[in-house]
Amino acid sequence: MFSTTSSHVDEIQHISPESTGKSLSTEPSIHDTVEPNDADQSRDNVELKDADQSGSTNIEGADIVEEPKLGMVFKSEKELLSYYKRYGQQSGFGIMTQRSHRFEDGSIRYVTLGCARGGKARNRTTNVARPRPTSKTECKARINVMFKKGVLKVSSVNNSHNHGLSPQKSRFFRCNREVSESVKRVLDINDQAGIRMNKSFASLVQEAGGFEKLPFTEKDCRNYIDKARHLRLGKGGAGALSEYFTRMQYKNDGFFSLMDMDDEGRLRNVFWADARSRAAYKYFGYVVTFDTTYLTNRYGMPFAPFVGVNHHGQSILLGAGLISSEDTVTFTWLFQTWLTCMNGEAPKAIIIDQDRAMKNAISLVFPNSRHRFCLWHILKKLPEKLGSHGAYKTGLKSQLLNCVYDSDTIEEFEGSWEVLITKYNLQENAWLKSLYAERTYWAPMFMKQFDNALRKKIESESEADFQSFNVTIPVVSPSPLEKIF
């Protein structure tokens, strides 16, 4: 938990002596070899024997954690850390390891535990007009602990803070938030069952008897699931999928597949495309749509198809994947894999849902492709975003659709939009403001729900090819140009 470089106690931040300002005058050097006298050693032994290991006193049934004092001793690093965390929780501040030094065998030689608000704020943004919030106040509250005669002994103490303390809010400090193994199992089971996180967390709150009884937040649960997710294909599912891909590649040299594994060897994401899809991309890959909202499989994994449109106006599959999460890292892997499958030929244009993670991944993998949002997805949100407006059904909806679909020029759209916003007093509508800011990404494209049964799609295309080959359209004029067409 501690190291000579970047040790942490959940706050995930290392503070060097320089970054904390001037050092404490009572702080010993890590090379200090002064031995305690007999009286000191005797006092240490008494304290270690008489003091409760947790550093607390039981008063009227409640554990009151004793304030840090010079000479306090602890048997182990774990005991020390547990004590200071509970003291911080009782007092109303978060803790962190500010610096430490270890012996060659890995045991602690010297460590400084301090308030998590210690250290200087670092400006992490180039926009000086909008600096990011920081919790750092250069707080000097801390304890220095040295290893002496087989125990860890507090050598200096500063219990004064330069900021407010709130014990009622202690559960929100990162060092006090922990998702137990039993809760993780519940979250995993619920996630596999398709139970949404808000409902899963609500059940945990109900069982515990209130939010304040849980040592973690809903965000902590979401972070755990996002990190732990992988493709849950059932017993033997991953192996069966791998065998299927092997058979397909043996039968067809043009078959492409790739399986993405996590650090523990579990299947995380997968992509595949057959020879027909790869061949079709050469002819119909000018504009590609990508969408994960079509369906999910029985294990809750989003199905992620790349879809084009053939010469019959039919949707055709240009590759597909199953993904374990919908974040920028996952989409980047999927897009890069698809691009590799298509011999590095990026589409001229790609149309997606209005998803920030997809947009970020596209900018990384397809920087030269024209990127647009699917207008159908945008307008599908109208009832949710504007349905409560008093004029939604009597004019707002139709005027908005007219603005979007009937504007032939930029100037016409801008004028129509301004009239709409002003007429219905929508200047402060956050959703419309965000849409307008990204209006250049809109694309008026409507398409039916994609049918992922590839054989049915192939059959439909074959029938259309037959009809095109077997019938002709009678001409309605004597023009030879019409006959050619």
Side-chain angles (χ1 to χ4, degrees), residues 453-480:
L454 184 56
R455 278 186 278 182
K456 182 178 179 180
K457 283 294 180 184
I458 295 174
E459 181 65 17
S460 297
E461 183 176 340
S462 297
E463 291 179 3
D465 280 336
F466 171 76
Q467 290 297 327
S468 178
F469 171 79
N470 194 52
V471 301
T472 58
I473 302 175
V475 297
V476 297
S477 72
S479 171

PDB file of all heavy atoms in Angstrom, residues 453-480:
ATOM      1  N   ALA A 453     -30.114 -11.298 -39.068  1.00  0.00           N
ATOM      2  CA  ALA A 453     -30.066 -12.634 -39.665  1.00  0.00           C
ATOM      3  C   ALA A 453     -29.445 -12.499 -41.056  1.00  0.00           C
ATOM      4  O   ALA A 453     -30.106 -12.181 -42.041  1.00  0.00           O
ATOM      5  CB  ALA A 453     -31.467 -13.218 -39.752  1.00  0.00           C
ATOM      6  N   LEU A 454     -28.169 -12.762 -41.146  1.00  0.00           N
ATOM      7  CA  LEU A 454     -27.432 -12.472 -42.375  1.00  0.00           C
ATOM      8  C   LEU A 454     -27.942 -13.271 -43.566  1.00  0.00           C
ATOM      9  O   LEU A 454     -28.014 -12.756 -44.687  1.00  0.00           O
ATOM     10  CB  LEU A 454     -25.943 -12.770 -42.147  1.00  0.00           C
ATOM     11  CG  LEU A 454     -25.001 -12.437 -43.309  1.00  0.00           C
ATOM     12  CD1 LEU A 454     -25.131 -10.977 -43.704  1.00  0.00           C
ATOM     13  CD2 LEU A 454     -23.568 -12.762 -42.931  1.00  0.00           C
ATOM     14  N   ARG A 455     -28.326 -14.517 -43.354  1.00  0.00           N
ATOM     15  CA  ARG A 455     -28.787 -15.326 -44.486  1.00  0.00           C
ATOM     16  C   ARG A 455     -30.065 -14.765 -45.094  1.00  0.00           C
ATOM     17  O   ARG A 455     -30.260 -14.818 -46.312  1.00  0.00           O
ATOM     18  CB  ARG A 455     -28.991 -16.772 -44.034  1.00  0.00           C
ATOM     19  CG  ARG A 455     -27.707 -17.577 -44.002  1.00  0.00           C
ATOM     20  CD  ARG A 455     -27.960 -19.020 -43.703  1.00  0.00           C
ATOM     21  NE  ARG A 455     -28.107 -19.224 -42.262  1.00  0.00           N
ATOM     22  CZ  ARG A 455     -28.302 -20.415 -41.720  1.00  0.00           C
ATOM     23  NH1 ARG A 455     -28.429 -21.479 -42.492  1.00  0.00           N
ATOM     24  NH2 ARG A 455     -28.388 -20.557 -40.417  1.00  0.00           N
ATOM     25  N   LYS A 456     -30.930 -14.244 -44.231  1.00  0.00           N
ATOM     26  CA  LYS A 456     -32.155 -13.637 -44.744  1.00  0.00           C
ATOM     27  C   LYS A 456     -31.825 -12.402 -45.577  1.00  0.00           C
ATOM     28  O   LYS A 456     -32.442 -12.145 -46.614  1.00  0.00           O
ATOM     29  CB  LYS A 456     -33.078 -13.265 -43.587  1.00  0.00           C
ATOM     30  CG  LYS A 456     -34.394 -12.662 -44.038  1.00  0.00           C
ATOM     31  CD  LYS A 456     -35.288 -12.349 -42.850  1.00  0.00           C
ATOM     32  CE  LYS A 456     -36.592 -11.717 -43.325  1.00  0.00           C
ATOM     33  NZ  LYS A 456     -37.492 -11.384 -42.192  1.00  0.00           N
ATOM     34  N   LYS A 457     -30.851 -11.635 -45.126  1.00  0.00           N
ATOM     35  CA  LYS A 457     -30.446 -10.458 -45.892  1.00  0.00           C
ATOM     36  C   LYS A 457     -29.884 -10.850 -47.252  1.00  0.00           C
ATOM     37  O   LYS A 457     -30.157 -10.230 -48.274  1.00  0.00           O
ATOM     38  CB  LYS A 457     -29.396  -9.662 -45.097  1.00  0.00           C
ATOM     39  CG  LYS A 457     -29.976  -8.825 -43.973  1.00  0.00           C
ATOM     40  CD  LYS A 457     -30.832  -7.725 -44.524  1.00  0.00           C
ATOM     41  CE  LYS A 457     -31.415  -6.872 -43.410  1.00  0.00           C
ATOM     42  NZ  LYS A 457     -32.325  -5.846 -43.941  1.00  0.00           N
ATOM     43  N   ILE A 458     -29.054 -11.884 -47.256  1.00  0.00           N
ATOM     44  CA  ILE A 458     -28.464 -12.344 -48.512  1.00  0.00           C
ATOM     45  C   ILE A 458     -29.549 -12.824 -49.463  1.00  0.00           C
ATOM     46  O   ILE A 458     -29.522 -12.545 -50.661  1.00  0.00           O
ATOM     47  CB  ILE A 458     -27.433 -13.459 -48.232  1.00  0.00           C
ATOM     48  CG1 ILE A 458     -26.245 -12.893 -47.431  1.00  0.00           C
ATOM     49  CG2 ILE A 458     -26.954 -14.088 -49.534  1.00  0.00           C
ATOM     50  CD1 ILE A 458     -25.260 -13.953 -46.996  1.00  0.00           C
ATOM     51  N   GLU A 459     -30.526 -13.559 -48.918  1.00  0.00           N
ATOM     52  CA  GLU A 459     -31.630 -14.050 -49.749  1.00  0.00           C
ATOM     53  C   GLU A 459     -32.437 -12.894 -50.335  1.00  0.00           C
ATOM     54  O   GLU A 459     -32.820 -12.920 -51.507  1.00  0.00           O
ATOM     55  CB  GLU A 459     -32.534 -14.965 -48.917  1.00  0.00           C
ATOM     56  CG  GLU A 459     -33.702 -15.557 -49.686  1.00  0.00           C
ATOM     57  CD  GLU A 459     -33.262 -16.501 -50.795  1.00  0.00           C
ATOM     58  OE1 GLU A 459     -32.094 -16.942 -50.773  1.00  0.00           O
ATOM     59  OE2 GLU A 459     -34.070 -16.785 -51.687  1.00  0.00           O
ATOM     60  N   SER A 460     -32.684 -11.872 -49.522  1.00  0.00           N
ATOM     61  CA  SER A 460     -33.437 -10.719 -50.012  1.00  0.00           C
ATOM     62  C   SER A 460     -32.688 -10.013 -51.135  1.00  0.00           C
ATOM     63  O   SER A 460     -33.281  -9.593 -52.132  1.00  0.00           O
ATOM     64  CB  SER A 460     -33.696  -9.742 -48.859  1.00  0.00           C
ATOM     65  OG  SER A 460     -34.491 -10.338 -47.864  1.00  0.00           O
ATOM     66  N   GLU A 461     -31.379  -9.907 -50.990  1.00  0.00           N
ATOM     67  CA  GLU A 461     -30.584  -9.264 -52.032  1.00  0.00           C
ATOM     68  C   GLU A 461     -30.580 -10.116 -53.301  1.00  0.00           C
ATOM     69  O   GLU A 461     -30.645  -9.579 -54.414  1.00  0.00           O
ATOM     70  CB  GLU A 461     -29.156  -9.034 -51.533  1.00  0.00           C
ATOM     71  CG  GLU A 461     -28.280  -8.308 -52.546  1.00  0.00           C
ATOM     72  CD  GLU A 461     -26.898  -7.994 -52.008  1.00  0.00           C
ATOM     73  OE1 GLU A 461     -26.724  -7.988 -50.772  1.00  0.00           O
ATOM     74  OE2 GLU A 461     -25.995  -7.759 -52.832  1.00  0.00           O
ATOM     75  N   SER A 462     -30.523 -11.427 -53.138  1.00  0.00           N
ATOM     76  CA  SER A 462     -30.542 -12.312 -54.308  1.00  0.00           C
ATOM     77  C   SER A 462     -31.863 -12.190 -55.056  1.00  0.00           C
ATOM     78  O   SER A 462     -31.889 -12.167 -56.294  1.00  0.00           O
ATOM     79  CB  SER A 462     -30.324 -13.770 -53.857  1.00  0.00           C
ATOM     80  OG  SER A 462     -29.058 -13.927 -53.261  1.00  0.00           O
ATOM     81  N   GLU A 463     -32.969 -12.115 -54.326  1.00  0.00           N
ATOM     82  CA  GLU A 463     -34.267 -11.950 -54.973  1.00  0.00           C
ATOM     83  C   GLU A 463     -34.337 -10.630 -55.724  1.00  0.00           C
ATOM     84  O   GLU A 463     -34.870 -10.556 -56.837  1.00  0.00           O
ATOM     85  CB  GLU A 463     -35.385 -12.019 -53.930  1.00  0.00           C
ATOM     86  CG  GLU A 463     -35.586 -13.399 -53.323  1.00  0.00           C
ATOM     87  CD  GLU A 463     -36.676 -13.397 -52.281  1.00  0.00           C
ATOM     88  OE1 GLU A 463     -37.311 -12.335 -52.086  1.00  0.00           O
ATOM     89  OE2 GLU A 463     -36.890 -14.441 -51.656  1.00  0.00           O
ATOM     90  N   ALA A 464     -33.797  -9.584 -55.127  1.00  0.00           N
ATOM     91  CA  ALA A 464     -33.797  -8.283 -55.792  1.00  0.00           C
ATOM     92  C   ALA A 464     -32.926  -8.311 -57.042  1.00  0.00           C
ATOM     93  O   ALA A 464     -33.263  -7.712 -58.067  1.00  0.00           O
ATOM     94  CB  ALA A 464     -33.307  -7.212 -54.823  1.00  0.00           C
ATOM     95  N   ASP A 465     -31.788  -8.999 -56.958  1.00  0.00           N
ATOM     96  CA  ASP A 465     -30.940  -9.149 -58.142  1.00  0.00           C
ATOM     97  C   ASP A 465     -31.688  -9.869 -59.261  1.00  0.00           C
ATOM     98  O   ASP A 465     -31.600  -9.488 -60.440  1.00  0.00           O
ATOM     99  CB  ASP A 465     -29.671  -9.934 -57.784  1.00  0.00           C
ATOM    100  CG  ASP A 465     -28.627  -9.056 -57.114  1.00  0.00           C
ATOM    101  OD1 ASP A 465     -28.668  -7.836 -57.327  1.00  0.00           O
ATOM    102  OD2 ASP A 465     -27.784  -9.605 -56.391  1.00  0.00           O
ATOM    103  N   PHE A 466     -32.433 -10.901 -58.889  1.00  0.00           N
ATOM    104  CA  PHE A 466     -33.203 -11.650 -59.896  1.00  0.00           C
ATOM    105  C   PHE A 466     -34.257 -10.758 -60.545  1.00  0.00           C
ATOM    106  O   PHE A 466     -34.423 -10.762 -61.773  1.00  0.00           O
ATOM    107  CB  PHE A 466     -33.866 -12.868 -59.256  1.00  0.00           C
ATOM    108  CG  PHE A 466     -34.842 -13.554 -60.161  1.00  0.00           C
ATOM    109  CD1 PHE A 466     -34.386 -14.356 -61.209  1.00  0.00           C
ATOM    110  CD2 PHE A 466     -36.210 -13.386 -60.005  1.00  0.00           C
ATOM    111  CE1 PHE A 466     -35.278 -14.985 -62.069  1.00  0.00           C
ATOM    112  CE2 PHE A 466     -37.102 -14.005 -60.848  1.00  0.00           C
ATOM    113  CZ  PHE A 466     -36.644 -14.809 -61.882  1.00  0.00           C
ATOM    114  N   GLN A 467     -34.978 -10.012 -59.721  1.00  0.00           N
ATOM    115  CA  GLN A 467     -36.008  -9.142 -60.266  1.00  0.00           C
ATOM    116  C   GLN A 467     -35.411  -8.097 -61.206  1.00  0.00           C
ATOM    117  O   GLN A 467     -35.958  -7.791 -62.266  1.00  0.00           O
ATOM    118  CB  GLN A 467     -36.756  -8.444 -59.121  1.00  0.00           C
ATOM    119  CG  GLN A 467     -37.628  -9.374 -58.297  1.00  0.00           C
ATOM    120  CD  GLN A 467     -38.751  -9.985 -59.117  1.00  0.00           C
ATOM    121  OE1 GLN A 467     -39.284  -9.365 -60.040  1.00  0.00           O
ATOM    122  NE2 GLN A 467     -39.091 -11.228 -58.803  1.00  0.00           N
ATOM    123  N   SER A 468     -34.256  -7.565 -60.807  1.00  0.00           N
ATOM    124  CA  SER A 468     -33.606  -6.572 -61.656  1.00  0.00           C
ATOM    125  C   SER A 468     -33.151  -7.184 -62.964  1.00  0.00           C
ATOM    126  O   SER A 468     -33.183  -6.547 -64.027  1.00  0.00           O
ATOM    127  CB  SER A 468     -32.403  -5.970 -60.904  1.00  0.00           C
ATOM    128  OG  SER A 468     -31.729  -5.041 -61.726  1.00  0.00           O
ATOM    129  N   PHE A 469     -32.719  -8.448 -62.912  1.00  0.00           N
ATOM    130  CA  PHE A 469     -32.228  -9.134 -64.107  1.00  0.00           C
ATOM    131  C   PHE A 469     -33.379  -9.614 -64.998  1.00  0.00           C
ATOM    132  O   PHE A 469     -33.284  -9.611 -66.224  1.00  0.00           O
ATOM    133  CB  PHE A 469     -31.367 -10.333 -63.678  1.00  0.00           C
ATOM    134  CG  PHE A 469     -30.979 -11.252 -64.794  1.00  0.00           C
ATOM    135  CD1 PHE A 469     -29.945 -10.923 -65.661  1.00  0.00           C
ATOM    136  CD2 PHE A 469     -31.648 -12.453 -64.996  1.00  0.00           C
ATOM    137  CE1 PHE A 469     -29.587 -11.772 -66.699  1.00  0.00           C
ATOM    138  CE2 PHE A 469     -31.305 -13.307 -66.025  1.00  0.00           C
ATOM    139  CZ  PHE A 469     -30.266 -12.969 -66.882  1.00  0.00           C
ATOM    140  N   ASN A 470     -34.485 -10.007 -64.387  1.00  0.00           N
ATOM    141  CA  ASN A 470     -35.539 -10.722 -65.110  1.00  0.00           C
ATOM    142  C   ASN A 470     -36.642  -9.805 -65.634  1.00  0.00           C
ATOM    143  O   ASN A 470     -37.442 -10.237 -66.465  1.00  0.00           O
ATOM    144  CB  ASN A 470     -36.166 -11.783 -64.194  1.00  0.00           C
ATOM    145  CG  ASN A 470     -37.007 -12.784 -64.944  1.00  0.00           C
ATOM    146  OD1 ASN A 470     -36.535 -13.369 -65.929  1.00  0.00           O
ATOM    147  ND2 ASN A 470     -38.236 -12.968 -64.525  1.00  0.00           N
ATOM    148  N   VAL A 471     -36.755  -8.601 -65.156  1.00  0.00           N
ATOM    149  CA  VAL A 471     -37.829  -7.718 -65.606  1.00  0.00           C
ATOM    150  C   VAL A 471     -37.251  -6.412 -66.113  1.00  0.00           C
ATOM    151  O   VAL A 471     -36.112  -6.062 -65.809  1.00  0.00           O
ATOM    152  CB  VAL A 471     -38.834  -7.443 -64.457  1.00  0.00           C
ATOM    153  CG1 VAL A 471     -39.443  -8.729 -63.944  1.00  0.00           C
ATOM    154  CG2 VAL A 471     -38.165  -6.687 -63.314  1.00  0.00           C
ATOM    155  N   THR A 472     -38.041  -5.719 -66.893  1.00  0.00           N
ATOM    156  CA  THR A 472     -37.679  -4.394 -67.374  1.00  0.00           C
ATOM    157  C   THR A 472     -38.829  -3.444 -67.108  1.00  0.00           C
ATOM    158  O   THR A 472     -39.986  -3.855 -66.979  1.00  0.00           O
ATOM    159  CB  THR A 472     -37.378  -4.404 -68.881  1.00  0.00           C
ATOM    160  OG1 THR A 472     -38.545  -4.887 -69.571  1.00  0.00           O
ATOM    161  CG2 THR A 472     -36.201  -5.294 -69.203  1.00  0.00           C
ATOM    162  N   ILE A 473     -38.515  -2.188 -67.061  1.00  0.00           N
ATOM    163  CA  ILE A 473     -39.536  -1.168 -66.849  1.00  0.00           C
ATOM    164  C   ILE A 473     -39.882  -0.546 -68.198  1.00  0.00           C
ATOM    165  O   ILE A 473     -39.001  -0.017 -68.892  1.00  0.00           O
ATOM    166  CB  ILE A 473     -39.020  -0.085 -65.896  1.00  0.00           C
ATOM    167  CG1 ILE A 473     -38.621  -0.722 -64.548  1.00  0.00           C
ATOM    168  CG2 ILE A 473     -40.063   1.001 -65.676  1.00  0.00           C
ATOM    169  CD1 ILE A 473     -37.993   0.241 -63.581  1.00  0.00           C
ATOM    170  N   PRO A 474     -41.141  -0.624 -68.603  1.00  0.00           N
ATOM    171  CA  PRO A 474     -41.522  -0.077 -69.913  1.00  0.00           C
ATOM    172  C   PRO A 474     -41.252   1.416 -69.972  1.00  0.00           C
ATOM    173  O   PRO A 474     -41.454   2.141 -68.997  1.00  0.00           O
ATOM    174  CB  PRO A 474     -43.028  -0.372 -69.992  1.00  0.00           C
ATOM    175  CG  PRO A 474     -43.250  -1.477 -69.007  1.00  0.00           C
ATOM    176  CD  PRO A 474     -42.271  -1.247 -67.909  1.00  0.00           C
ATOM    177  N   VAL A 475     -40.819   1.856 -71.127  1.00  0.00           N
ATOM    178  CA  VAL A 475     -40.601   3.291 -71.325  1.00  0.00           C
ATOM    179  C   VAL A 475     -41.938   3.968 -71.545  1.00  0.00           C
ATOM    180  O   VAL A 475     -42.902   3.377 -72.046  1.00  0.00           O
ATOM    181  CB  VAL A 475     -39.653   3.551 -72.509  1.00  0.00           C
ATOM    182  CG1 VAL A 475     -38.288   2.975 -72.237  1.00  0.00           C
ATOM    183  CG2 VAL A 475     -40.223   2.958 -73.793  1.00  0.00           C
ATOM    184  N   VAL A 476     -42.027   5.198 -71.158  1.00  0.00           N
ATOM    185  CA  VAL A 476     -43.287   5.950 -71.301  1.00  0.00           C
ATOM    186  C   VAL A 476     -43.161   7.079 -72.316  1.00  0.00           C
ATOM    187  O   VAL A 476     -44.089   7.838 -72.520  1.00  0.00           O
ATOM    188  CB  VAL A 476     -43.728   6.523 -69.939  1.00  0.00           C
ATOM    189  CG1 VAL A 476     -44.012   5.397 -68.960  1.00  0.00           C
ATOM    190  CG2 VAL A 476     -42.657   7.456 -69.367  1.00  0.00           C
ATOM    191  N   SER A 477     -41.990   7.156 -72.957  1.00  0.00           N
ATOM    192  CA  SER A 477     -41.792   8.206 -73.956  1.00  0.00           C
ATOM    193  C   SER A 477     -40.899   7.650 -75.069  1.00  0.00           C
ATOM    194  O   SER A 477     -40.221   6.643 -74.891  1.00  0.00           O
ATOM    195  CB  SER A 477     -41.133   9.429 -73.324  1.00  0.00           C
ATOM    196  OG  SER A 477     -39.761   9.189 -73.023  1.00  0.00           O
ATOM    197  N   PRO A 478     -40.894   8.286 -76.210  1.00  0.00           N
ATOM    198  CA  PRO A 478     -40.037   7.822 -77.319  1.00  0.00           C
ATOM    199  C   PRO A 478     -38.591   8.212 -77.166  1.00  0.00           C
ATOM    200  O   PRO A 478     -37.775   7.920 -78.045  1.00  0.00           O
ATOM    201  CB  PRO A 478     -40.677   8.489 -78.548  1.00  0.00           C
ATOM    202  CG  PRO A 478     -41.281   9.750 -77.999  1.00  0.00           C
ATOM    203  CD  PRO A 478     -41.766   9.420 -76.623  1.00  0.00           C
ATOM    204  N   SER A 479     -38.250   8.828 -76.040  1.00  0.00           N
ATOM    205  CA  SER A 479     -36.879   9.315 -75.851  1.00  0.00           C
ATOM    206  C   SER A 479     -35.907   8.151 -75.731  1.00  0.00           C
ATOM    207  O   SER A 479     -36.082   7.264 -74.898  1.00  0.00           O
ATOM    208  CB  SER A 479     -36.791  10.161 -74.590  1.00  0.00           C
ATOM    209  OG  SER A 479     -35.442  10.464 -74.280  1.00  0.00           O
ATOM    210  N   PRO A 480     -34.842   8.113 -76.553  1.00  0.00           N
ATOM    211  CA  PRO A 480     -33.839   7.046 -76.441  1.00  0.00           C
ATOM    212  C   PRO A 480     -33.063   7.137 -75.138  1.00  0.00           C
ATOM    213  O   PRO A 480     -32.565   6.137 -74.643  1.00  0.00           O
ATOM    214  CB  PRO A 480     -32.919   7.312 -77.649  1.00  0.00           C
ATOM    215  CG  PRO A 480     -33.123   8.749 -77.983  1.00  0.00           C
ATOM    216  CD  PRO A 480     -34.535   9.082 -77.649  1.00  0.00           C
TER     217      PRO A 480
END
